[in-house]
Amino acid sequence: HPTPSMPPLLISLLAVLAAYLLGSVSFALVASRLFGLADPRSYGSKNPGATNVLRSGHKGAALFTLFGDTAKGWLAVFLASRHAAEYGLGGYTVGLVALAVFVGHLYPVFLRFRGGKGVATAAGVLLAIDPWLGLATLCTWLLVAFTLRYSSLAALLAATAAPIYGFLMWGRDSMLLVVGLIAMALIGKHWQNLQRLMAGSEPKIGGRKQ
């Protein structure tokens, strides 16, 4: 491959910026407009994410949201991983891109920095970092979600498990820090859900919008 004319640091910064902007695209709003639904920020948990879109009663829109939010996380990290060596970038760039696309979903510039909780985007990021790590974390989410019917509890337990899985797979690896930061952000985003779970007022998956 030819050596790019731009310095690697500039390419790295552009990659991180592009990842953030990609993460800022809210597929919950895109799906709602495509399917003629109300703004997901106006009902239920008011969270622009797949679980809340499902409360509209439109499963197709929820699946579209889930796929889109997962795909953008995967795509950003996949492209960074594939082209890092070609552009002379270090592994740190892949880690920064992973964080940038995730932060973009949490704090999107297009929605005045009020985004979703990041579960689907985090899943896409983890699948791109290491498919086995992503699958193990996703299986944890699915097991809890389909047995107990609480999306938030599934997210909390999956987020807690992800760094543990990463350590068991890799040992002490620099990417483990990225996974740990994403996990802590997910737990922080679900803190109110945890309080509602403890109070017995957390809605279950599939509940209708209020």
Side-chain angles (χ1 to χ4, degrees):
H1 297 288
T3 303
S5 58
M6 286 192 295
L9 179 58
L10 179 57
I11 297 173
S12 180
L13 290 174
L14 289 174
V16 170
L17 176 60
Y20 171 77
L21 293 176
L22 177 60
S24 292
V25 177
S26 174
F27 281 90
L29 266 69
V30 173
S32 296
R33 291 175 182 175
L34 284 175
F35 292 95
L37 304 175
D39 189 320
R41 297 169 296 176
S42 67
Y43 60 81
S45 65
K46 296 181 172 55
N47 174 59
T51 301
N52 199 41
V53 172
L54 184 60
R55 294 189 178 104
S56 71
H58 201 302
K59 294 181 180 179
L63 285 172
F64 181 92
T65 303
L66 179 64
F67 176 80
D69 285 343
T70 303
K72 69 184 182 184
W74 178 86
L75 182 63
V77 179
F78 171 77
L79 291 176
S81 301
R82 184 167 184 174
H83 296 289
E86 175 185 350
Y87 289 97
L89 307 177
Y92 70 90
T93 298
V94 178
L96 289 175
V97 164
L99 291 173
V101 70
F102 177 69
V103 169
H105 181 82
L106 299 185
Y107 306 103
V109 65
F110 306 128
L111 299 182
R112 299 182 180 179
F113 306 104
R114 295 179 181 179
K117 295 184 177 178
V119 176
T121 303
V125 168
L126 295 183
L127 284 167
I129 289 175
D130 186 322
W132 290 112
L133 172 64
L135 287 172
T137 306
L138 183 60
C139 285
T140 302
W141 189 94
L142 290 171
L143 178 63
V144 178
F146 281 95
T147 55
L148 301 179
R149 306 289 297 174
Y150 287 110
S151 175
S152 55
L153 180 60
L156 286 163
L157 293 178
T160 302
I164 298 173
Y165 295 151
F167 179 76
L168 292 175
M169 292 177 182
W170 311 328
R172 295 182 180 179
D173 186 275
S174 58
M175 196 60 72
L176 191 61
L177 175 61
V178 174
V179 176
L181 290 173
I182 289 174
M184 287 189 291
L186 283 172
I187 293 170
K189 274 287 187 176
H190 286 81
W191 187 251
Q192 290 183 339
N193 300 87
L194 179 59
Q195 292 177 318
R196 287 195 293 269
L197 282 165
M198 295 176 67
S201 59
E202 178 73 352
K204 291 190 174 184
I205 294 174
R208 302 290 290 191
K209 67 180 181 181
Q210 301 294 321

